[in-house]
Amino acid sequence: MSADAKQAFGVYVHWPFCLSKCPYCDFNSHVRHAPIDEFRFARAFEREIETTAARAPGREVTSIFLGGGTPSLMQPQTVGAILNAIARHWRVAGDVEVTLEANPTSVEATRFRGYRDAGVNRVSLGVQALDDASLKALGRLHTAREALDAVAIARSVFDRYSFDLIYARPDQTPQMWEDELKLAVAEAAEHLSLYQLTIEPETPFFGLHAAGKLKIPDEAVARALYDVTQDVCAKLGLPSYEISNHARPGAECKHNLVYWRGQEYAGIGPGAHGRLDIDGIRHAIATEKRPETWLMRVEAQGHGVTSDELLNSEERADEYLLMGLRLAEGIDPVRYRALSGRALDPRRIEILRDEGAITVDPDGRVRVTMQGFPVLDAVVADLAA
């Protein structure tokens, strides 16, 4: 059985609240100046878990991811209540990976031992930059020193931890990024998520960029920064296993692999998405984004689902192609054919291989090359046509 066909089931839990909204962020996150009723939200999470498990019974949970928003604003007992609810309604694998996203501030880092005691065994820290000027420009509330101190606390509490950085920031040069990245790898131990800054619609950065008040590196510099990312991480033992994620072999994020391999996962909480197989049909499920509206929906009907679409074979295959080609391991054309009912076009595969955008293993597995990753969207579109 190929890696992407092995049985896995993830549970994603979305905590939608943040202390402030970062100007580049288009995630479903909300700032509330009044205290959050954590107890009430915890009960609603438990209820939606129960309802979702009734629709998708008998699964064994292999990974849990508490994302946001800022889940590290939750008290450890709230996290514990959510994890206990998951364990009540599904079997949980003995080697389950339980990740919590955290802001790298000293206040939140003091809760790390409480999260570990609640059942979290991996943290992902939103560091984003390792210099104070960049952090201020990105709207982050922590300093570089505070971030590194939080990483050190994470290292002392958890066997597994990761942190995020954003590159292609305003005025960033390849040499600056190389120096920052070497420091990051030295601190990272096993895993880094490295994202190129993108200007997303309906964010403050979008307006500033449109007005010419925010200048980001041009395409040539952005490509040079990408190349530095690949070269430095590979040389220092954290090769890319996905277009934006780097890990020592064996330290990949199990939960994110569920997404990229086209496997099943439940989405719990405001604005969460899920992919569940019910009666042999793949359902694409989304919940109400507004936290208080989601809360009232769950209390009234047991779930916050606002969209539940049935994916046909072609749509499932397209998702598998789109997500799977992000991975260094690539995709299995046999699985693609089983999903879509048709084989990938051998002529298109040959053309892309001749162009150096993909490779094909002796067993037929298709992988995007380092040269192909910067034009991944075009590669996917060509293969899907």
Side-chain angles (χ1 to χ4, degrees):
M1 183 182 288
S2 63
D4 53 270
K6 288 179 182 173
Q7 200 69 24
F9 180 73
V11 179
Y12 175 77
V13 179
H14 191 78
W15 181 258
F17 301 111
C18 285
L19 291 176
S20 66
K21 184 78 173 177
C22 296
Y24 55 85
C25 176
D26 70 339
F27 291 171
N28 185 42
S29 58
H30 304 263
V31 177
R32 296 289 182 266
H33 299 296
I36 306 299
D37 188 342
E38 271 195 50
F39 182 82
R40 188 178 171 195
F41 269 93
R43 297 295 81 76
F45 281 119
E46 292 176 28
R47 184 77 176 94
E48 191 165 63
I49 288 164
E50 179 183 12
T51 304
T52 306
R55 294 190 75 196
R59 309 301 198 269
E60 181 176 73
V61 177
T62 55
S63 65
I64 300 167
F65 197 101
L66 298 126
T70 309
S72 56
L73 295 176
M74 281 190 277
Q75 295 298 321
Q77 57 264 35
T78 303
V79 172
I82 292 168
L83 297 181
N84 288 340
I86 292 171
R88 276 199 307 275
H89 297 290
W90 284 297
R91 295 191 314 278
V92 175
D95 61 348
V96 65
E97 174 191 271
V98 184
T99 301
L100 179 134
E101 287 184 334
N103 265 344
T105 68
S106 55
V107 172
E108 287 157 73
T110 60
R111 299 190 186 129
F112 283 177
R113 284 181 176 79
Y115 295 139
R116 184 195 62 193
D117 293 343
V120 173
N121 56 28
R122 182 179 181 272
V123 288
S124 177
L125 297 160
V127 171
Q128 312 310 5
L130 290 172
D131 74 90
D132 289 344
S134 291
L135 287 167
K136 186 175 181 181
L138 291 170
R140 305 299 287 168
L141 300 180
H142 59 270
T143 65
R145 180 70 265 159
E146 196 171 22
L148 290 173
D149 288 346
V151 170
I153 295 170
R155 185 184 303 119
S156 71
V157 174
F158 298 99
D159 291 334
R160 301 187 62 201
Y161 65 96
S162 173
F163 61 87
D164 299 357
L165 293 177
I166 294 172
Y167 68 94
R169 308 190 300 258
D171 303 318
Q172 190 178 38
T173 67
Q175 186 59 56
M176 291 164 61
W177 176 228
E178 181 176 338
D179 294 342
E180 185 175 8
L181 198 48
K182 286 177 178 175
L183 173 59
V185 174
E187 296 284 345
E190 66 165 31
H191 193 286
L192 279 174
S193 296
L194 306 169
Y195 301 106
Q196 184 170 325
L197 178 64
T198 53
I199 305 301
E200 302 292 350
E202 300 180 20
T203 64
F205 269 13
F206 184 84
L208 290 170
H209 187 258
K213 296 178 180 178
L214 177 70
K215 290 182 167 53
I216 59 174
D218 62 26
E219 193 173 317
V221 175
R223 175 59 194 266
L225 292 165
Y226 171 81
D227 290 341
V228 165
T229 306
Q230 305 308 312
D231 292 344
V232 170
C233 289
K235 285 175 183 172
L236 296 179
L238 264 72
S240 63
Y241 69 96
E242 188 268 346
I243 194 167
S244 300
N245 285 270
H246 300 253
R248 301 199 188 283
E252 299 84 0
C253 176
K254 287 167 64 174
H255 186 81
N256 285 340
L257 285 173
V258 168
Y259 302 150
W260 297 321
R261 288 173 174 167
Q263 295 164 330
E264 274 193 289
Y265 58 96
I268 306 296
H273 290 253
R275 293 291 185 272
L276 296 177
D277 294 339
I278 301 170
D279 297 326
I281 300 173
R282 175 61 59 99
H283 289 239
I285 300 167
T287 61
E288 166 62 48
K289 289 184 175 182
R290 294 165 294 180
E292 290 77 18
T293 307
W294 171 86
L295 183 63
M296 290 186 289
R297 277 179 173 268
V298 176
E299 289 175 340
Q301 62 190 28
H303 63 82
V305 173
T306 54
S307 173
D308 186 348
E309 298 179 6
L310 308 184
L311 300 185
N312 62 34
S313 58
E314 195 72 21
E315 290 167 331
R316 282 200 67 182
D318 284 347
E319 280 199 352
Y320 174 59
L321 199 66
L322 178 67
M323 301 300 278
L325 286 175
R326 297 176 63 91
L327 291 168
E329 71 185 23
I331 63 155
D332 180 359
V334 174
R335 186 174 174 211
Y336 177 86
R337 187 170 63 242
L339 289 171
S340 71
R342 66 180 178 89
L344 291 169
D345 186 339
R347 185 176 54 84
R348 293 180 184 276
I349 289 176
E350 195 61 36
I351 291 170
L352 289 169
R353 184 161 58 177
D354 289 345
E355 291 173 347
I358 65 171
T359 61
V360 181
D361 291 359
D363 64 358
R365 195 170 188 87
V366 176
R367 306 171 191 262
V368 177
T369 64
M370 283 299 144
Q371 292 74 31
F373 272 127
V375 291
L376 178 62
D377 289 348
V379 174
V380 171
D382 208 10
L383 285 173

